[in-house]
Amino acid sequence: MSRLKQIIRHRDHGMALQTISKTLGIARNTVKKYLQLIESKGFSHSELLKMEDEELNALLAEPDHTSGSRFLDMEAFFPHMLEELKRTGVNRWNLWGEYKTKHPDGYSYSQFCEHFRQWGSCRKASMHMEHIPGDKLFIDYAGDRFSLVDAVTGEIKEVETYVSTLGYSQYTYVEAVPSQKKEDFISASDNALQFYGGVPKALVPDNLKSAVTKADRYEPLINSDFLDFANHYGCTVFPARSRKPQDKSLVEKAVSIVYSRIYAPLRNRVFHDLPSLNRAIMELLLVYNSTPFQRRPESRKELFDTEEKAALKPLATERYELKEYKQATVPKFCHIHLKEGNHYYSVPFRFIGKKVKIAYSQSHVSVYYNNERIAYHKRSTGGSKYTTVKEHMPSSHRFVSDWNPDFFLDWAKGVDPDVHNYIRVILESYTYPEQAYKSCLGILGYDRKAGRERLINAVRRATGYDIFNYSVITRILRSGLDTLPLQEEQTPQKEIKHANIRGSENFK
């Protein structure tokens, strides 16, 4: 309205429309439109100049029936226009032509485009979000990356930057990680919760694959491992909507500040490994969180300590460990084999022949049957060894099935007395004979695969070495040592070195 009064005054002085336009920086047609509108209202220029801006605005904003109808027709066309613009080859000029065909008395192209821009701006207006202490943790990755330089080769490797911030206090955590892969993402999220010392009600990540398997406006599919992580700490996952940056505007603002507060101070420093980079980041992060807000007297750290920390739920007693899963059938010797680590773990004998699910992490192994956990062990990395719970074993070490010590001894006795003695020693060397069944089965199986004579020779040679082990029998047969006369034997140091040997001196 202040500009309108300027138009009136310039016009009273006899200034041309084009001159008024250049002087005030307003389009000539806009100046003309306002003067026509003033004339249609029937007020003199002096009367209009005496009015307050609000009164003048109310007077001139009141549309007549024709102009109001034109505007509503145009505005009703905009939703259709918005969808059509997404199609290939469609532009505003095409759509304005369609609009003018339907409404010959409609707006000009320039007015049409200006009203469309204003209409779009109103649709994009976002609501101010009030954040509750302990409610949400917003998670994102910075677009720019830090670089690590190999100290030997000079090779440059880029790493990702994980950023999270609490909604209420905006207390921020930053960590450099090797990638955005699931393992690194969950590990950084775990470190963030440890940094905060508590758990919010909800985690709000972006729609990266490590967090959201399939984005959807109403029912996004959460990554199963990230969901397991959230369940471990007793919180929910509430992904930001696709292409809705306002859902995570706080963390995006935090990323922009991290660029100036952390990236900029470190831009000329060279780092050779992640630990040294993260130590430097943490030093600057502490300063960043302790710096007062621009428009508030307290800092993020002070606001967190005084109002938000107490609202967080306590951390789980144990830190989360990423799990791997596999299916297995419980064998007759009552132990499932975990290839990763080459180790055997006991399962209650009543589940022999059942298909079970194995969930294992770096420290624990759990076995499930029909979603019920039936066995739990601490993870062991000892190769070709057994972890056994006594209660998992049947009484008298005998199965209802056809596998028991007598079964293997009778089988070995039918092959040769030396083989019988060899199998007996193996069975006696284990606390639980069931642990030896697989070795016995492998050795006796060579009766058919390699031939009885070769098996007997291999057993006699292994007995001479005082080694009672399936692996050494296999190596003797594969190397052909069983074909050499016994008087020409020499202790095969290479074979002993590479076999998992259980010497007789270790036997009870």
Side-chain angles (χ1 to χ4, degrees), residues 31-261:
V31 174
K32 183 179 180 181
K33 180 191 73 173
Y34 276 125
L35 291 175
Q36 289 175 343
L37 183 59
I38 290 170
E39 186 178 352
S40 68
K41 295 298 179 181
F43 288 89
S44 66
H45 289 183
S46 59
E47 289 176 323
L48 294 174
L49 291 173
K50 291 178 182 178
M51 294 181 181
E52 297 292 336
D53 286 350
E54 292 77 8
E55 185 181 0
L56 186 60
N57 179 53
L59 175 66
L60 298 181
E62 181 183 354
D64 57 31
H65 178 74
T66 305
S67 60
S69 175
R70 281 204 317 160
F71 182 81
L72 292 176
D73 290 339
M74 176 188 64
E75 195 173 50
F77 184 77
F78 286 159
H80 166 73
M81 178 177 175
L82 188 66
E83 293 300 318
E84 291 297 304
L85 284 173
K86 298 176 182 178
R87 302 177 64 175
T88 304
V90 179
N91 56 37
R92 295 184 181 189
W93 180 261
N94 302 141
L95 295 170
W96 175 76
E98 295 179 9
Y99 161 75
K100 286 293 284 185
T101 302
K102 294 181 179 178
H103 307 285
D105 60 340
Y107 289 85
S108 66
Y109 178 69
S110 60
Q111 291 177 314
F112 178 82
C113 290
E114 176 61 20
H115 284 300
F116 180 69
R117 184 190 65 77
Q118 293 177 359
W119 177 82
S121 298
C122 293
R123 292 182 71 254
K124 292 179 181 178
S126 57
M127 180 181 66
H128 173 69
M129 297 177 66
E130 290 291 340
H131 295 283
I132 303 171
D135 187 35
K136 291 184 178 68
L137 177 67
F138 297 89
I139 301 171
D140 202 359
Y141 279 96
D144 293 342
R145 299 178 176 90
F146 282 107
S147 297
L148 299 179
V149 180
D150 191 290
V152 178
T153 65
E155 179 185 1
I156 298 176
K157 179 182 179 182
E158 290 188 334
V159 294
E160 302 286 346
T161 304
Y162 173 98
V163 181
S164 66
T165 187
L166 287 167
Y168 182 77
S169 64
Q170 299 180 42
Y171 193 42
T172 303
Y173 175 76
V174 182
E175 180 184 350
V177 294
S179 69
Q180 293 190 20
K181 291 182 180 178
K182 172 181 62 180
E183 296 80 6
D184 297 323
F185 174 70
I186 292 179
S187 175
S189 298
D190 197 340
N191 291 339
L193 295 184
Q194 302 299 323
F195 174 80
Y196 295 122
V199 183
K201 294 179 182 178
L203 304 177
V204 185
D206 198 2
N207 284 277
L208 68 161
K209 288 294 183 182
S210 299
V212 181
T213 303
K214 183 180 179 181
D216 184 86
R217 183 176 181 181
Y218 302 104
E219 295 184 358
L221 182 60
I222 311 301
N223 182 286
S224 58
D225 291 301
F226 189 59
L227 190 60
D228 185 51
F229 166 80
N231 290 335
H232 177 81
Y233 284 108
C235 58
T236 59
V237 179
F238 186 68
R241 295 171 296 173
S242 297
R243 297 183 292 277
K244 297 292 182 181
Q246 65 269 28
D247 285 2
K248 53 184 180 66
S249 57
L250 279 181
V251 72
E252 291 195 344
K253 179 63 175 178
V255 169
S256 67
I257 299 176
V258 163
Y259 286 148
S260 60
R261 302 286 179 85

Side-chain angles (χ1 to χ4, degrees), residues 418-458:
D418 290 335
V419 177
H420 175 271
N421 181 65
Y422 196 81
I423 295 297
R424 179 184 59 77
V425 174
I426 290 178
L427 287 167
E428 292 175 354
S429 68
Y430 286 88
T431 304
Y432 301 99
E434 292 82 6
Q435 296 174 345
Y437 289 173
K438 192 172 183 181
S439 294
C440 294
L441 185 67
I443 293 170
L444 295 172
Y446 282 124
D447 183 27
R448 177 178 57 83
K449 292 187 288 185
R452 181 161 298 185
E453 183 178 353
R454 292 194 65 193
L455 171 60
I456 294 171
N457 288 338

Side-chain angles (χ1 to χ4, degrees), residues 166-393:
L166 287 167
Y168 182 77
S169 64
Q170 299 180 42
Y171 193 42
T172 303
Y173 175 76
V174 182
E175 180 184 350
V177 294
S179 69
Q180 293 190 20
K181 291 182 180 178
K182 172 181 62 180
E183 296 80 6
D184 297 323
F185 174 70
I186 292 179
S187 175
S189 298
D190 197 340
N191 291 339
L193 295 184
Q194 302 299 323
F195 174 80
Y196 295 122
V199 183
K201 294 179 182 178
L203 304 177
V204 185
D206 198 2
N207 284 277
L208 68 161
K209 288 294 183 182
S210 299
V212 181
T213 303
K214 183 180 179 181
D216 184 86
R217 183 176 181 181
Y218 302 104
E219 295 184 358
L221 182 60
I222 311 301
N223 182 286
S224 58
D225 291 301
F226 189 59
L227 190 60
D228 185 51
F229 166 80
N231 290 335
H232 177 81
Y233 284 108
C235 58
T236 59
V237 179
F238 186 68
R241 295 171 296 173
S242 297
R243 297 183 292 277
K244 297 292 182 181
Q246 65 269 28
D247 285 2
K248 53 184 180 66
S249 57
L250 279 181
V251 72
E252 291 195 344
K253 179 63 175 178
V255 169
S256 67
I257 299 176
V258 163
Y259 286 148
S260 60
R261 302 286 179 85
I262 295 179
Y263 274 68
L266 298 180
R267 67 187 184 280
N268 295 323
R269 293 181 59 179
V270 177
F271 298 94
H272 301 298
D273 54 63
L274 272 177
S276 61
L277 172 58
N278 279 319
R279 283 193 295 271
I281 289 175
M282 185 55 65
E283 291 175 2
L284 294 170
L285 180 64
L286 294 176
V287 176
Y288 164 64
N289 281 322
S290 301
T291 303
F293 290 98
Q294 287 186 350
R295 299 180 181 179
R296 299 177 63 170
E298 70 270 32
S299 66
R300 292 169 174 81
K301 182 69 166 62
E302 291 170 340
L303 191 59
F304 170 76
D305 287 339
T306 57
E307 299 187 35
E308 186 154 33
K309 187 174 183 179
L312 298 176
K313 294 185 293 184
L315 291 165
T317 54
E318 295 182 354
R319 294 192 64 164
Y320 177 78
E321 291 183 344
L322 190 64
K323 298 181 181 66
E324 300 288 340
Y325 300 90
K326 64 177 294 186
Q327 302 288 335
T329 301
V330 180
K332 293 182 179 180
F333 59 94
C334 215
H335 288 73
I336 52 98
H337 178 240
L338 192 61
K339 185 177 180 181
E340 294 77 1
N342 192 23
H343 199 85
Y344 293 85
Y345 299 90
S346 66
V347 177
F349 70 94
R350 63 182 180 277
F351 294 100
I352 292 173
K354 305 293 186 182
K355 290 187 179 297
V356 295
K357 181 180 181 180
I358 307 170
Y360 58 97
S361 64
Q362 290 185 347
S363 61
H364 296 97
V365 176
S366 298
V367 184
Y368 295 86
Y369 177 71
N370 287 343
N371 297 320
E372 178 185 358
R373 190 169 72 182
I374 60 175
Y376 179 79
H377 300 277
K378 286 189 175 181
R379 180 82 180 272
S380 176
T381 56
S384 295
K385 293 183 180 179
Y386 289 77
T387 296
T388 305
V389 175
K390 183 178 180 179
E391 289 73 21
H392 291 172
M393 298 294 102

